Amino acid sequence: MKKQTLVSGLRASSEPHIGNYLGAIRQFLKYQELHDCNFFIADLHTLTTPFEPKELRKNALEVAADYIALGLDPKKSTLYLQSQVAEHAELAWIFNCITPLGELYRMTQFKDKTGSANKESVNAGLLNYPVLMAADILLYKAEIVPVGEDQVQHLELARVIAKKFNNQFGKTFPEPKALLESETARIMSLNDPEKKMSKTGGQGILINDSPAEIQRKLRKAVTATDATGKSKGVDNLFRLLREFGNKEQIQFFENAYQENTIKFSELKDILSEDIAHYFAPFREKRKELLNSPEYIAEALADGAEKARERARATMQEVKKKVGLL
Ligand code: ADP
Ligand code: TRP
């Protein structure tokens, strides 16, 4: 297989949940062995929703520790903080100037995040969020981007921006593709299975949750069925069991479900043990890493240095094409 350039990021809002892990991070681990990978912590994107400066700094370092503890190897991939490579913001500005507002207004995430709020008072960063994301990707001329389903529309916009730039200024960027893991691209919230599990909603199992916490959250998971007998909550629990459980457990509960003898309390308790067990080595490694923050800071500084080199080369080319000195 030809080695391709890959980029992906995680916001620094808080600790990753199992949706982030199954939808994105787990893929990163696989691809770091195959491709030229760039993974970053999207701290500039984190500024688009309410934040505390102290918390932001702490969370960014913790997300880096999470990445490394889960198996991302800073020697195999380039791992860095978005804000430490100034070219992300620089390219985003140029992209802002070729992106029609209409494209941004129709983004589902923008509509979801602004909801019924008065659009006059929404910060412009929230609207321009996908433009910065296009810059994150195209700065490295990435061809593939592993993400969860919620980011696919943003990826489409990155392709629109790449095309537009190429048409206007000459072929510069490839058109990046989203890489989706079909089964786990959208893990649902436990207490509102109509919505995706998310960091900001607080309804997710964090990968660093203690076994007791995982159990507490799972016990509250909604399993109600709709008028047609379907249940998104149940589907979601089974999806998680297929990821974290063993063959016998999966078989047992699938049969019990078919035969209508299933006890969801039992399924939830088994599943919480499985998830706690799965992430046990991660919790240990994370603790160790957070005891040596200088190692994390160093890995991030090295990563930023490497990223900057490529980012600079792209910006030189872009500025020349656009007519900037
Ligand atoms: P969140 O959306 O929870 O705030 P991020 O924005 O940092 O988290 O998302 C990081 C990555 O995790 C993205 O690739 C995103 O598509 C993926 N992701 C987020 N939530 C889910 C989910 N519920 N299921 C699958 N993937 C998800
Ligand atoms: N917007 C993504 C999310 O919320 C995070 C992100 C920022 C990203 N820049 C990116 C993902 C570039 C992939 C590529 O999940």
Side-chain angles (χ1 to χ4, degrees):
M1 197 204 311
K2 186 181 153 273
K3 214 174 186 176
Q4 292 182 293
T5 303
L6 178 154
V7 165
S8 199
L10 237 63
R11 291 188 303 154
S13 14
S14 67
E15 293 168 30
H17 49 77
I18 56 173
N20 297 138
Y21 176 74
L22 295 174
I25 307 173
R26 188 174 60 175
Q27 305 191 67
F28 301 173
L29 302 179
K30 182 166 80 186
Y31 294 125
Q32 74 173 345
E33 309 297 335
L34 304 170
H35 296 298
D36 162 21
C37 291
N38 301 277
F39 298 117
F40 64 93
I41 293 143
D43 50 355
L44 295 176
H45 277 111
T46 310
L47 305 182
T48 59
T49 42
F51 66 96
E52 281 292 327
K54 253 200 214 144
E55 285 294 304
L56 177 62
R57 201 168 297 131
K58 185 169 147 275
N59 286 342
L61 284 178
E62 286 186 2
V63 174
D66 291 333
Y67 269 141
I68 300 173
L70 284 169
L72 272 195
D73 182 347
K75 294 213 163 54
K76 290 184 187 161
S77 314
T78 309
L79 177 66
Y80 55 100
L81 289 180
Q82 183 187 34
S83 63
Q84 291 193 336
V85 183
E87 285 80 359
H88 285 245
E90 199 179 5
L91 184 57
W93 178 254
I94 294 177
F95 285 169
N96 266 323
C97 300
I98 61 165
T99 307
L101 270 178
E103 294 279 357
L104 301 179
Y105 282 131
R106 64 181 191 82
M107 292 288 118
T108 315
Q109 183 173 297
F110 175 70
K111 289 194 228 163
D112 285 352
K113 288 205 169 152
T114 50
S116 55
N118 175 4
K119 299 285 183 291
E120 298 295 309
S121 59
V122 165
N123 79 73
L126 207 53
L127 182 68
N128 293 322
Y129 183 111
V131 180
L132 176 58
M133 195 166 150
D136 297 335
I137 298 166
L138 298 175
L139 193 53
Y140 304 94
K141 301 196 175 183
E143 295 144 296
I144 44 178
V145 186
V147 282
E149 198 178 82
D150 59 318
Q151 297 303 313
V152 170
Q153 197 187 29
H154 290 162
L155 251 287
E156 277 161 17
L157 183 63
R159 281 205 295 279
V160 168
I161 293 177
K163 245 189 265 175
K164 218 157 187 277
F165 188 96
N166 291 344
N167 284 339
Q168 217 164 316
F169 304 107
K171 175 100 183 91
T172 311
F173 298 112
E175 288 172 30
K177 285 195 194 71
L179 274 185
L180 283 186
E181 200 92 322
S182 56
E183 265 296 293
T184 54
R186 193 172 171 82
I187 301 296
M188 308 313 279
S189 148
L190 297 176
N191 51 4
D192 183 0
E194 290 294 326
K195 296 204 183 113
K196 73 161 196 127
M197 188 178 281
S198 96
K199 277 180 194 162
T200 29
Q203 334 88 325
I205 296 179
L206 305 181
I207 53 178
N208 190 41
D209 274 342
S210 67
E213 187 67 5
I214 297 173
Q215 188 180 51
R216 191 186 64 78
K217 288 182 178 172
L218 265 171
R219 281 189 172 169
K220 285 205 251 164
V222 170
T223 52
T225 45
D226 65 16
T228 65
K230 289 213 172 74
S231 166
K232 286 203 172 129
V234 171
D235 289 351
N236 200 38
L237 289 180
F238 269 106
R239 192 169 303 128
L240 294 177
L241 186 69
R242 281 195 292 275
E243 295 302 329
F244 296 110
N246 63 37
K247 265 199 199 126
E248 289 77 37
Q249 292 168 348
I250 300 168
Q251 188 84 59
F252 173 81
F253 285 107
E254 279 181 347
N255 288 346
Y257 188 62
Q258 293 284 326
E259 290 160 10
N260 239 341
T261 55
I262 192 159
K263 286 204 190 81
F264 284 115
S265 55
E266 210 179 308
L267 166 61
K268 288 173 178 178
D269 280 356
I270 297 264
L271 183 56
S272 34
E273 275 171 29
D274 288 338
I275 296 178
H277 179 72
Y278 187 94
F279 289 111
F282 157 79
R283 288 195 298 274
E284 281 308 304
K285 181 90 190 132
R286 181 181 195 268
K287 229 188 279 163
E288 249 172 59
L289 280 167
L290 288 175
N291 278 333
S292 43
E294 61 295 339
Y295 166 78
I296 304 172
E298 217 171 281
L300 290 174
D302 287 352
E305 190 61 43
K306 243 170 49 189
R308 245 178 255 131
E309 226 172 274
R310 296 174 71 172
R312 271 195 206 117
T314 307
M315 278 318 294
Q316 262 184 6
E317 185 187 350
V318 165
K319 282 172 123 178
K320 202 163 157 205
K321 287 190 168 155
V322 170
L324 296 167
L325 292 180

